[in-house]
Amino acid sequence: MSNATISAEQASDIGPGMPKYMGPVEFLRILRRRKKLIALTTILITGLTALALSTITPLYKSEALVIVESPEGPDDDPDAAIAKARENEIRVTSFQQLLQSRAMAGLVVRDLGLDDDREFNPKADPDKPIDPTGPIEWLKSKIVQQPAPQPVANPHAQISDVEKERVIDRLMENLAVEQVNRSNILKVSAYSANAKKAQRIANKLVTVTMGYQISKRQNNSKDTIASLTTRVASLGKEVLDADARVAEYRKSHGIADEMSGELQM
């Protein structure tokens, strides 16, 4: 068994009653003598660490991916391919700006009741329970699977327009939207002190934005159909008026009688 030799200064620090070399046996003997001090120090450090983690509010991040639909068009035509690429870039940029818009953030606040959430509105209902946060609660949620609490807006909560705008401001500060490698994929990131809440916010932002875009397309289609219907009705009336004027003109100039006389001959 090999022993590690120590210097005279180290030996003096250890004590006169100990040998001037230290091996595994001596090291274990020291640990046994100091086991209470080592255990107490370990417990103290662990307790201070747990206390610090329980008092520090964590910030969780949740991500949602959105694939923007590409325009259809022929790929064999160079000009058409260039036009398709430009239209695709416009679509991605437009949808990204829509995700980052204040209007969509307002819809998220409305649907999730964030105006009655003390994380985003410090003046929210004090009787409403706060979603549990912290590493300990996160560990509990991983061990014991519990259904995510659904946010319920307080119907009696009265909030001014200024406070609503502040809630939207806080939400927008905790949102990020970026394009993934100049592709058709957009990554939506939401931050919150509660992991499940961050996930709900990211998913809700994508849902309300897609719903708004679909509704806008449907409204545009309805407007187009209504405009075409009105135009067709107007053209039909113009045709009938033109026929009536022609008939009146022919009648006033006797064109109809002359044509009928020629047919009789």
Side-chain angles (χ1 to χ4, degrees), residues 208-257:
V208 297
T209 304
M210 294 181 65
Y212 173 82
Q213 192 179 51
I214 293 173
S215 177
K216 186 177 180 181
R217 287 181 180 178
Q218 292 177 347
N219 292 335
N220 290 339
S221 299
K222 292 179 180 178
D223 293 341
T224 301
I225 294 174
S227 177
L228 291 175
T229 302
T230 303
R231 182 58 179 165
V232 168
S234 177
L235 290 175
K237 186 176 183 302
E238 291 178 2
V239 170
L240 293 177
D241 293 341
D243 290 343
R245 288 194 298 269
V246 171
E248 183 67 23
Y249 177 81
R250 293 176 63 182
K251 181 178 180 180
S252 61
H253 290 77
I255 298 177
D257 297 337

Side-chain angles (χ1 to χ4, degrees), residues 60-237:
Y60 297 97
K61 176 182 179 182
S62 181
E63 296 180 350
L65 297 179
V66 184
I67 301 178
V68 182
E69 183 181 3
S70 300
E72 298 180 356
D75 296 330
D76 53 352
D77 186 359
D79 295 336
I82 294 175
K84 178 181 177 181
R86 290 178 179 175
E87 183 181 354
N88 182 70
E89 184 178 356
I90 293 174
R91 284 191 180 188
V92 175
T93 303
S94 300
F95 198 78
Q96 182 177 4
Q97 293 175 350
L98 188 60
L99 286 167
Q100 295 172 327
S101 66
R102 192 175 190 84
M104 297 300 103
L107 293 178
V108 174
V109 170
R110 181 200 65 186
D111 292 352
L112 295 183
L114 298 181
D115 52 352
D116 197 28
D117 189 314
R118 273 174 280 178
E119 180 180 356
F120 296 94
N121 182 15
K123 299 180 181 180
D125 183 11
D127 297 329
K128 183 178 180 180
I130 302 176
D131 292 336
T133 60
I136 298 178
E137 297 297 335
W138 177 84
L139 184 60
K140 288 182 179 179
S141 65
K142 292 298 181 182
I143 298 176
V144 181
Q145 295 294 333
Q146 297 178 352
Q150 296 298 324
V152 179
N154 184 2
H156 304 290
Q158 298 294 331
I159 181 172
S160 64
D161 294 337
V162 176
E163 291 175 345
K164 285 182 180 179
E165 295 301 322
R166 290 175 181 173
V167 173
I168 296 175
D169 288 338
R170 293 188 184 96
L171 175 61
M172 295 183 68
E173 291 173 358
N174 289 276
L175 292 174
V177 182
E178 59 181 342
Q179 185 178 5
V180 179
N181 298 328
R182 298 183 62 84
S183 64
N184 282 38
I185 301 176
L186 296 175
K187 182 172 66 175
V188 178
S189 302
Y191 300 87
S192 173
N194 181 272
K196 295 180 179 179
K197 187 191 299 181
Q199 184 179 10
R200 292 198 299 268
I201 292 174
N203 293 336
K204 177 58 69 173
L205 179 60
V206 174
T207 302
V208 297
T209 304
M210 294 181 65
Y212 173 82
Q213 192 179 51
I214 293 173
S215 177
K216 186 177 180 181
R217 287 181 180 178
Q218 292 177 347
N219 292 335
N220 290 339
S221 299
K222 292 179 180 178
D223 293 341
T224 301
I225 294 174
S227 177
L228 291 175
T229 302
T230 303
R231 182 58 179 165
V232 168
S234 177
L235 290 175
K237 186 176 183 302

Side-chain angles (χ1 to χ4, degrees), residues 30-45:
I30 294 174
L31 291 180
R32 282 196 297 268
R33 291 178 180 177
R34 303 290 189 268
K35 61 181 180 180
K36 293 184 178 180
L37 179 60
I38 294 174
L40 181 61
T41 304
T42 303
I43 294 174
L44 181 61
I45 294 175

Side-chain angles (χ1 to χ4, degrees), residues 3-17:
N3 295 328
T5 305
I6 61 176
S7 63
E9 295 180 357
Q10 293 173 335
S12 62
D13 294 337
I14 295 174

